[in-house]
């Protein structure tokens, strides 16, 4: 083999090695990119702005309470399997399913004796319930305890009433509902419980259970 042939052979070997190394580097880069996408590192989900979700309202036709949930699965279960007891009334207001800055949890309790649920953001009231016959359930949702935390005009007060017969609380963002219930002997007005987002800015619907 002459020198010219050796140089040609050596050049081919180098070119082959270069191609192999380039392909390996490209494969490694693609693998890292895919891993980042799968793990969510390409978009930092922890810093993404959380969105409000609908809080659904049901009327318990057996005990007269109103039930609230932000969970789609729980809403669907009641609609599908318990429609004989729970009348679906739609979206009551919008809140957060996860805690964000300046929000507080709404704690949910269950009274096994009456079948009614009880909601509160008050830590003292929560502690009292924890030492009672009420059964603690998951945090229902997160809300603003005061209007001062956010100036968004869609954030409105949630009015709280106590339903005397079922020993439960009723909440509404609807001023027409509030005014109607103020004249009812079945409810006691407790004031503003917390603040949440309106279903729409000029909500005027009164639900069947209150008519």
């Amino acid at each position: 083999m002459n020198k010219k042939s050796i140089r040609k052979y050596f050049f081919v070997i180098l070119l082959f090695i270069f191609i192999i190394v380039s392909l390996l580097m490209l494969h490694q880069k693609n693998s890292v990119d895919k891993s980042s996408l799968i793990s969510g590192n390409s978009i930092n989900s922890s810093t993404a702005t959380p969105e409000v979700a609908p809080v659904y309202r049901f009327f318990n036709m057996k005990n007269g309470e109103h039930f609230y949930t932000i969970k789609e699965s729980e809403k669907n279960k009641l609609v599908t399997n318990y429609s004989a007891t729970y009348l679906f009334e739609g979206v009551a207001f919008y809140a957060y399913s996860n805690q964000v800055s300046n929000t507080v949890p709404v704690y949910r309790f269950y009274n096994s004796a009456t079948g009614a649920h009880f909601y509160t953001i008050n830590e003292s009231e929560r502690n009292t319930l924890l030492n009672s016959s009420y059964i603690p359930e998951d945090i229902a949702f997160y809300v603003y305890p005061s209007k001062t935390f956010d100036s968004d005009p869609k954030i409105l007060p949630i009015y709280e009433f106590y339903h005397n017969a079922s020993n439960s609380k009723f909440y509404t963002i609807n001023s027409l509902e509030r005014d109607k219930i103020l004249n009812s002997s079945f409810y006691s007005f407790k004031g503003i419980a917390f603040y949440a987002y309106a279903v729409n800015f000029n909500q005027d619907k009164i639900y069947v259970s209150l008519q």
Side-chain angles (χ1 to χ4, degrees):
M1 182 179 292
N2 57 39
K3 292 184 179 180
K4 185 176 181 180
S5 297
I6 293 174
R7 285 197 300 268
K8 184 178 180 181
Y9 177 76
F10 183 71
F11 176 77
V12 170
I13 294 297
L14 287 178
L15 181 61
F16 179 76
I17 293 173
F18 175 78
I19 292 173
I20 294 298
V21 171
S22 299
L23 289 174
L24 288 174
M25 292 178 64
L26 180 62
H27 176 74
Q28 184 178 15
K29 180 179 183 301
N30 289 337
S31 298
V32 171
D33 290 344
K34 288 179 181 178
S35 176
S36 297
L37 287 172
I38 293 171
S39 64
N41 293 331
S42 59
I43 298 177
N44 191 343
S45 58
S46 64
T47 60
T49 302
E51 303 216 354
V52 292
V55 175
Y56 301 106
R57 192 172 99 181
F58 290 82
F59 174 62
N60 189 320
M61 294 178 282
K62 290 186 177 180
N63 61 21
E65 75 147 347
H66 284 82
F67 177 79
Y68 303 84
T69 182
I70 201 169
K71 296 180 179 178
E72 289 286 339
S73 59
E74 194 169 42
K75 183 260 288 185
N76 293 336
K77 183 177 180 180
L78 291 177
V79 169
T80 303
N81 302 327
Y82 297 94
S83 59
T85 300
Y86 288 95
L87 174 66
F88 181 52
E89 294 189 327
V91 177
F93 48 84
Y94 284 80
Y96 293 100
S97 56
N98 295 299
Q99 190 162 27
V100 301
S101 178
N102 298 322
T103 62
V104 296
V106 176
Y107 301 106
R108 193 175 85 186
F109 289 82
Y110 176 67
N111 187 331
S112 58
T114 64
H117 293 81
F118 196 90
Y119 305 81
T120 185
I121 66 169
N122 188 292
E123 291 291 340
S124 176
E125 189 171 44
R126 172 183 177 246
N127 292 333
T128 299
L129 292 171
L130 286 172
N131 295 312
S132 70
S133 59
Y134 279 88
I135 301 171
E137 296 188 333
D138 292 338
I139 291 173
F141 39 83
Y142 295 88
V143 295
Y144 292 104
S146 169
K147 177 68 174 177
T148 58
F149 289 121
D150 199 308
S151 60
D152 190 331
K154 292 189 294 295
I155 296 178
L156 299 177
I158 305 298
Y159 302 103
E160 179 181 291
F161 290 82
Y162 187 76
H163 186 241
N164 305 313
S166 63
N167 293 322
S168 63
K169 292 181 178 181
F170 168 75
Y171 298 99
T172 183
I173 201 171
N174 187 330
S175 59
L176 291 182
E177 281 192 333
R178 176 203 62 195
D179 295 343
K180 185 177 181 65
I181 301 173
L182 283 172
N183 297 317
S184 170
S185 60
F186 299 105
Y187 294 89
S188 301
F189 183 52
K190 297 300 181 181
I192 295 174
F194 46 81
Y195 290 79
Y197 288 87
V199 177
N200 55 60
F201 197 71
N202 296 308
Q203 183 169 331
D204 57 3
K205 178 180 179 180
I206 296 180
Y207 291 97
V208 173
S209 63
L210 303 174
Q211 293 179 356

